Each structure stands twice: as C-alpha cells, then as structure tokens.
Amino acid sequence: MSEYQHRARKRFGQNFLHDAGVIHRILRAIHPRAGERLVEIGPGQGALTEGLLDSGAQLDVVELDLDLIPILQGRFAERSNFHLHQGDALKFDFSQLGGEPGSLRIVGNLPYNISTPLIFHLLEHAGLIRDMHFMLQKEVVERLAAEPGGGDWGRLSIMVQYHCRVEHLFNVGPGAFNPAPKVDSAIVRLVPHAELPHPAKDPRLLERVVREAFNQRRKTLRNTLKGLLDAEAIAAAGVDGGLRPEQLDLAAFVRLSDQLALRQ
Ligand code: SAM
C-alpha cells in the first residue's frame, strides 16, 4: 500500500508522517507495551499505528475520514489487538472503551485545527487517562508548557496544567510530513496528576476567572475581573490587583476562583 493512494485533505488537517526516523523517535517516547490500553486519534494511513500494534498493546483508533477506513482495514484488520472506530474524536465518548481509571494512553499526530478543543474534551475524561502523547503545532506546545511571566502563559497553559504535568519532548520540522505543513511541530507529553496540586472549589469558576482575566491580557486584574471580584475579594486571595494576568501562577488563579466560589 502506498501512502500516495490517498490524497491528503486539508479540511481534515491531513499531514501524513513519512520520516521513519521521526516515527521511531515518537514510538520510543510513547514506549507502548503488551497489555496496555492505547487509543490513537486520527491514525490516517497508519504511520504510527503499525508500531503501536507491534508492541502487543490493545489499540483503539478513532478516524473521521471515511476514505481512510478501507486503507486502515486493509492494513490492520487481521491484527487481533486493532479496534477501529469511524467518527469524530471531538464527540467520541472515551468512557465507552471500558478502561480502568488511569489506564488509557492516548496518542496522535493531531489535526491542528481541532487540537485545542480535543485536549479540552480529553481532560473531561482525565480520570481514565494515564498519559497523552501528541504531535501539535510547535506554538501550541510552547503555550501548553509555558511558565508564568511570558507571552505564552494563558488560558491553555493554566487549564491544562491544572490537570496535567506537561513535557515538551522534541520538535519536528515540516519535512517529516506529506504534504509539508507551513509551521513547525512538536511532540508533547501530558500526564494527568494523580492528585491535583491546586484543586479549585469549582473548576468551572476557575475556567471563568482565567477566561475573563486573559480576555484583555494587557489590563490589570483589578480591571478585567471587575465583573466577577471586587478589590476586597482579590486582596483576600492574596493577589495584587495591579498585576497583569500573565504575572499570576496557577495557584493564584485557583485562590481567585475560590474567592468567587465563596461569594456565589
Ligand atoms: N496519524 C497519521 C500520521 O501521522 O500520518 C495522520 C495524521 S493527520 C495530521 C490527522 C489525522 O486525523 C487524519 O487522518 C485525519 O483524517 C484525522 N482527523 C481529522 N479530524 C478528525 C476528527 N475530528 N476525529 C478523528 N480523526 C480526525
């Protein structure tokens, strides 16, 4: 089977991996083992799928493009550890896979247009997940792994780091893909915390405070949070209302959202 039989579709974010060195490096980072429960999002034509199956792990794959289904079936249907689901990963109910808590290992060279909503969707199932390895746009990985104080620190960094430890593993240039994307890519590892380091009284309020604060990231918290928290509540959280949102760490945002929870 040649990878050129299928014409890559832009609307499905299709950039197929064809660099064997990069494929091996990703598989080494994932390090799948027999008996594990793996889920691959967007297997495409199977560039990563083959190595994942060779490990002996049980592998569920979720692919949206109907044209790729016969290609995947043709390559892997005879493998007893291969389980194919046609559909949209954004709507996929990961709890239907029946994995033990903390068992699912999610992997994927993700379509860039859905990577952020997909990560948020997966975080709803964080309790089921052992770890996640994704190929993403390099800028997105930099935002995921960001630290407070810089321009990359924002809603994505905070909400993902609330749930997970984040490791930026390595970068991948456009030449590893066919067709080559216009941007650089990177591999990230996300590991859900066994216990949240900064649990919020209500995570939905954390989401709200963070969203509101970063809506206008150049303004002070006193200004951006005006509609949610008054000066007294901001001070009660131990936060200087004269700071800008990018100067606050996760723990400070959790304290602000807990003040909001107390006042609701
Ligand atoms: N894993 C393959 C590789 O590395 O060569 C393909 C990667 S390609 C960047 C993204 C894959 O995700 C494509 O196969 C595409 O059809 C699939 N895809 C796009 N949107 C999807 C969605 N919402 N749910 C599941 N798969 C999707």
Side-chain angles (χ1 to χ4, degrees), residues 12-17 40-45 47-48 62-65 68 87-90 109-111 114:
F12 291 136
Q14 291 176 348
N15 298 96
F16 298 110
L17 269 170
E40 186 185 6
I41 316 269
Q45 301 172 100
L48 295 170
V62 184
E63 174 55 61
L64 180 60
D65 186 350
L68 288 171
D88 184 349
L90 286 171
N109 169 16
L110 296 187
I114 66 156

Side-chain angles (χ1 to χ4, degrees), residues 6-259:
H6 175 84
R7 249 178 98 211
R9 291 213 175 81
K10 222 176 169 169
R11 76 188 155 101
F12 291 136
Q14 291 176 348
N15 298 96
F16 298 110
L17 269 170
H18 71 112
D19 181 322
V22 171
I23 292 170
H24 280 122
R25 203 166 168 203
I26 297 170
L27 291 169
R28 266 203 312 275
I30 300 169
H31 196 50
R33 290 166 191 247
E36 290 180 344
R37 293 293 312 268
L38 265 64
V39 182
E40 186 185 6
I41 316 269
Q45 301 172 100
L48 295 170
T49 318
E50 175 138 35
L52 297 172
L53 287 168
D54 286 346
S55 72
Q58 290 298 319
L59 178 67
D60 287 87
V61 306
V62 184
E63 174 55 61
L64 180 60
D65 186 350
L66 283 168
D67 289 350
L68 288 171
I69 300 301
I71 296 178
L72 288 163
Q73 293 277 28
R75 280 189 79 178
F76 307 119
E78 283 174 8
R79 308 264 200 133
S80 62
N81 53 342
F82 178 71
H83 314 283
L84 176 59
H85 307 262
Q86 190 278 319
D88 184 349
L90 286 171
K91 299 187 183 135
F92 191 77
D93 177 6
F94 290 86
S95 61
Q96 81 179 56
L97 298 176
E100 297 286 313
S103 67
L104 296 183
R105 307 193 67 202
I106 317 282
V107 309
N109 169 16
L110 296 187
Y112 294 156
N113 50 338
I114 66 156
S115 57
T116 305
L118 183 65
I119 290 172
F120 279 103
H121 176 56
L122 283 162
L123 289 178
E124 290 168 20
H125 302 275
L128 284 175
I129 298 173
R130 180 173 131 196
D131 58 21
M132 302 181 255
H133 291 82
F134 295 132
M135 172 92 76
L136 302 170
Q137 207 170 317
K138 188 171 126 230
E139 280 70 23
V140 176
V141 172
E142 286 168 349
R143 280 163 51 209
L144 288 169
E147 291 179 9
D152 287 332
W153 180 246
R155 176 176 169 250
L156 186 63
S157 341
I158 295 168
M159 294 316 298
V160 171
Q161 291 181 27
Y162 178 77
H163 292 283
C164 301
R165 176 165 60 80
V166 180
E167 283 175 72
H168 180 161
L169 296 183
F170 55 89
N171 297 335
V172 179
F177 304 87
N178 179 40
K182 291 197 177 66
V183 293
D184 281 328
S185 305
I187 297 287
V188 71
R189 175 184 292 143
L190 308 176
V191 184
H193 300 299
E195 246 178 80
L196 295 178
H198 305 288
K201 289 187 193 302
D202 182 346
R204 284 167 308 178
L205 294 181
L206 174 65
E207 166 88 46
R208 204 161 139 204
V209 168
V210 171
R211 189 188 296 272
E212 206 66 34
F214 282 96
N215 255 345
Q216 300 176 73
R217 62 186 302 145
R218 299 260 146 245
K219 291 202 171 172
T220 62
L221 292 157
R222 187 183 297 129
N223 273 313
T224 52
L225 297 182
K226 226 170 17 212
L228 295 177
L229 294 164
D230 58 20
E232 191 193 331
I234 294 176
V239 170
D240 174 356
L243 295 178
R244 291 205 304 247
E246 67 193 35
Q247 295 173 280
L248 254 55
D249 62 11
L250 167 61
F253 276 108
V254 169
R255 291 199 305 276
L256 285 170
S257 78
D258 284 352
Q259 283 300 320

